[in-house]
């Protein structure tokens, strides 16, 4: 699935994995509300509470998670962003900084580099800075907020491709991230096909409801006929 920013090129030596591409393609045409309803129906928790888009992105971003966990800096301090050299084209970087709001883990240099490498987006349980660069470049950022103070000598990378937490959601490496103007949802990789199929079934019902109300049905009539109020209810 194409990323919304347009200045990507072929400099990234890490090509997308075919299996990742197959799973990402399952979510073509879906959005976070539909995927969220599917997660509810399947009894899965994947809605990243408190993580918001930097802008109202017109596109849905879908990609496998490249997970990063930060920790308070040691003495001497470790690195803060070199991991990005290992991120594949089309990945979504998912950073767990424990919701920390006083030290950023993303700025303009990482934004520019991520765009050049064809990275799909970045999700941060924490804050970013240099937001004008991200907005101007069209690079999608989803964060708990923004703040100007550097994370250098305050935080450092503790682990990559490990299980992390984002807005109360557990994220494993290569889980599928779906993000848009509504926020971020995480789909467990092993359940990706089931979630996508369920989301499509829900979307089809909602599309039929929209069609019926344009033809003169009341919302009550259309919703009742198609079981709208139980669409997302967990089976059993």
């Amino acid at each position: 699935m194409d990323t919304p920013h347009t200045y990507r090129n072929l400099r990234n030596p890490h090509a997308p994995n075919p299996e990742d591409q197959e799973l990402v393609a399952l979510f073509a045409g879906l959005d976070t509300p539909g995927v969220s309803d599917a997660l509810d129906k399947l009894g899965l928790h994947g809605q990243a509470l408190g993580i918001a888009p930097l802008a109202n992105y017109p596109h849905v971003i879908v990609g496998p998670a490249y997970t990063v966990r930060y920790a308070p800096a040691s003495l001497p301090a470790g690195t803060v962003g070199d991991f990005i050299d290992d991120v594949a084209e089309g990945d979504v970087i998912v950073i767990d900084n424990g919701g920390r709001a006083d030290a950023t883990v993303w700025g303009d240099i990482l934004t520019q580099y991520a765009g050049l490498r064809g990275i799909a987006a970045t999700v941060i349980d924490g804050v970013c800075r240099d937001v004008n660069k991200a907005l101007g470049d069209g690079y999608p950022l989803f964060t708990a907020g923004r703040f100007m103070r550097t994370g250098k000598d305050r935080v450092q990378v503790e682990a990559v491709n490990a299980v992390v937490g984002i807005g109360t959601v557990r994220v494993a490496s290569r889980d599928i991230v779906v993000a848009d103007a509504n926020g971020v949802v995480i789909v467990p990789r092993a359940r990706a096909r089931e979630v996508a199929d369920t989301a499509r079934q829900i979307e089809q019902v909602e599309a039929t409801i929209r069609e019926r109300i344009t033809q003169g049905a009341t919302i009550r009539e259309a919703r009742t006929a198609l079981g709208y109020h139980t669409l997302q209810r967990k089976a059993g």
Side-chain angles (χ1 to χ4, degrees):
M1 180 171 295
D2 288 338
T3 54
H5 42 289
T6 57
Y7 61 161
R8 57 190 293 187
N9 63 22
L10 301 179
R11 298 201 316 170
N12 193 332
H14 305 291
N17 178 287
E19 182 181 345
D20 288 338
Q21 291 180 303
E22 178 188 356
L23 295 179
V24 166
L26 296 174
F27 293 86
L30 298 174
D31 58 14
T32 61
V35 175
S36 174
D37 287 352
L39 291 171
D40 282 348
K41 191 169 188 68
L42 295 170
L44 301 172
H45 174 54
Q47 300 87 350
L49 180 65
I51 307 301
L54 195 62
N56 289 325
Y57 302 118
H59 305 280
V60 181
I61 297 100
V62 185
Y66 184 99
T67 58
V68 182
R69 184 188 304 121
Y70 276 78
S74 59
L75 291 174
T79 64
V80 292
D82 294 350
F83 67 85
I84 198 170
D85 284 330
D86 301 321
V87 181
E89 182 179 353
D91 282 5
V92 176
I93 297 172
V94 178
I95 299 175
D96 177 0
N97 196 28
R100 187 168 175 173
D102 67 330
T104 60
V105 292
W106 192 272
D108 56 352
I109 294 174
L110 288 176
T111 290
Q112 181 175 345
Y113 194 67
L116 290 170
R117 304 275 282 198
I119 295 167
T122 299
V123 177
I124 307 169
D125 194 352
V127 293
C128 63
R129 70 176 189 173
D130 302 316
V131 298
N132 285 340
K133 176 65 172 173
L135 293 170
D137 288 356
Y139 182 77
L141 283 176
F142 300 82
T143 78
R146 56 187 82 180
F147 194 53
M148 80 298 299
R149 189 163 74 165
T150 181
K152 289 181 287 186
D153 295 334
R154 296 185 173 94
V155 296
Q156 66 187 42
V157 173
E158 181 180 52
V160 297
N161 289 324
V163 174
V164 301
I166 298 291
T168 74
V169 176
R170 174 186 173 95
V171 188
S173 176
R174 316 318 288 173
D175 281 350
I176 303 301
V177 182
V178 184
D180 60 19
N182 301 287
V184 177
V185 291
I186 307 297
V187 179
R189 186 180 183 87
R191 306 289 295 275
R193 290 179 175 80
E194 185 181 8
V195 172
D197 287 345
T198 302
R200 290 193 185 284
Q201 293 168 14
I202 292 172
E203 173 53 34
Q204 182 57 55
V205 173
E206 293 189 345
T208 303
I209 291 172
R210 290 191 293 270
E211 181 181 355
R212 289 195 180 191
I213 63 177
T214 61
Q215 294 174 350
T218 66
I219 283 184
R220 181 181 293 109
E221 290 169 342
R223 285 178 168 178
T224 299
L226 291 156
Y228 172 81
H229 294 292
T230 60
L231 275 180
Q232 83 296 336
R233 189 170 298 167
K234 185 178 177 181

